[in-house]
Amino acid sequence: MQELINNLPKLAKDKHNENKKFFAKLKKKPPKDLDYLMQELHDEEFQQTDCLQCANCCKTTGPLFTDKDIERIAKFFKQKPQQFIEYYLRIDEDNDYVLQSVPCTFLGADNYCTIYDVRPKACREFPHTDRKKFQQISSLTLKNVAICPAAFNIVEAMKQRIK
């Protein structure tokens, strides 16, 4: 797994133009059953991919924190939302709340998330490969294939299934 993770940025870069063209065509004319296909590919991939063996998303990027996320996690820590923000978050160039640093503060040495039950929505939904209207998040997916081996595999499988 670690070898794949190490090679992922290069693999994604090598496939970037091909993927970009594929997603451009997909956006123009998505198959009627795209949502079902994506759910199927997502489920198949995650039957064989164990995120706890990887956790590359938590090690290399941080999620956006919504106001609801902040309230829920602050409550979990028995803090006021403002205290949580001051201690863990910063505002990025897009004016979103993000972690002050990566790897994620809440990632344990065993790759378990210490706030798993209250984790941000962005973490819960990552890598977003089972999302409805998948063709609308192609720019996000192009970034995620360089981070997540499962997302990379799903996009490769998708290109085989949709000609």
Side-chain angles (χ1 to χ4, degrees):
M1 173 65 87
Q2 193 55 50
E3 189 177 332
L4 176 59
I5 294 165
N6 294 343
N7 292 328
L8 204 54
K10 184 188 178 334
L11 287 169
K13 188 178 179 192
D14 291 347
K15 296 275 187 179
H16 183 78
N17 288 339
E18 179 185 312
N19 289 346
K20 206 170 173 179
K21 285 178 192 167
F22 175 77
F23 282 122
K25 281 175 36 181
L26 192 67
K27 238 181 196 173
K28 283 182 188 160
K29 193 168 186 253
K32 286 185 179 77
D33 64 345
L34 182 62
D35 289 347
Y36 296 105
L37 174 64
M38 292 313 299
Q39 188 65 57
E40 186 181 313
L41 292 172
H42 177 90
D43 291 346
E44 284 173 11
E45 180 60 32
F46 281 100
Q47 284 175 3
Q48 55 195 353
T49 297
D50 179 4
C51 293
L52 292 173
Q53 295 297 310
C54 179
N56 198 45
C57 52
C58 307
K59 293 172 184 171
T60 61
T61 61
L64 299 181
F65 286 75
T66 66
D67 291 341
K68 280 186 178 180
D69 292 332
I70 292 167
E71 287 175 29
R72 184 178 60 256
I73 300 167
K75 185 177 177 184
F76 174 80
F77 284 123
K78 296 176 177 51
Q79 294 178 317
K80 295 204 179 316
Q82 194 54 43
Q83 288 174 298
F84 176 77
I85 290 168
E86 288 170 13
Y87 197 74
Y88 294 105
L89 306 179
R90 66 178 175 82
I91 295 177
D92 72 2
E93 58 281 350
D94 297 323
N95 222 24
D96 292 314
Y97 282 111
V98 295
L99 291 169
Q100 289 179 9
S101 62
V102 291
C104 179
T105 313
F106 308 112
L107 180 66
D110 57 1
N111 286 347
Y112 276 85
C113 175
T114 58
I115 62 166
Y116 188 81
D117 291 337
V118 294
R119 70 195 184 281
K121 182 176 187 263
C123 298
R124 236 178 279 139
E125 294 178 355
F126 192 84
H128 312 285
T129 47
D130 59 347
R131 197 186 268 174
K132 301 268 187 259
K133 296 187 175 138
F134 178 78
Q135 72 278 10
Q136 294 177 350
I137 60 162
S138 57
S139 60
L140 178 63
T141 304
L142 285 170
K143 289 178 187 166
N144 290 346
V145 296
I147 299 164
C148 176
F152 182 87
N153 292 340
I154 290 166
V155 169
E156 291 304 302
M158 190 180 162
K159 290 187 299 190
Q160 295 303 311
R161 296 275 286 273
I162 301 171
K163 297 289 183 188

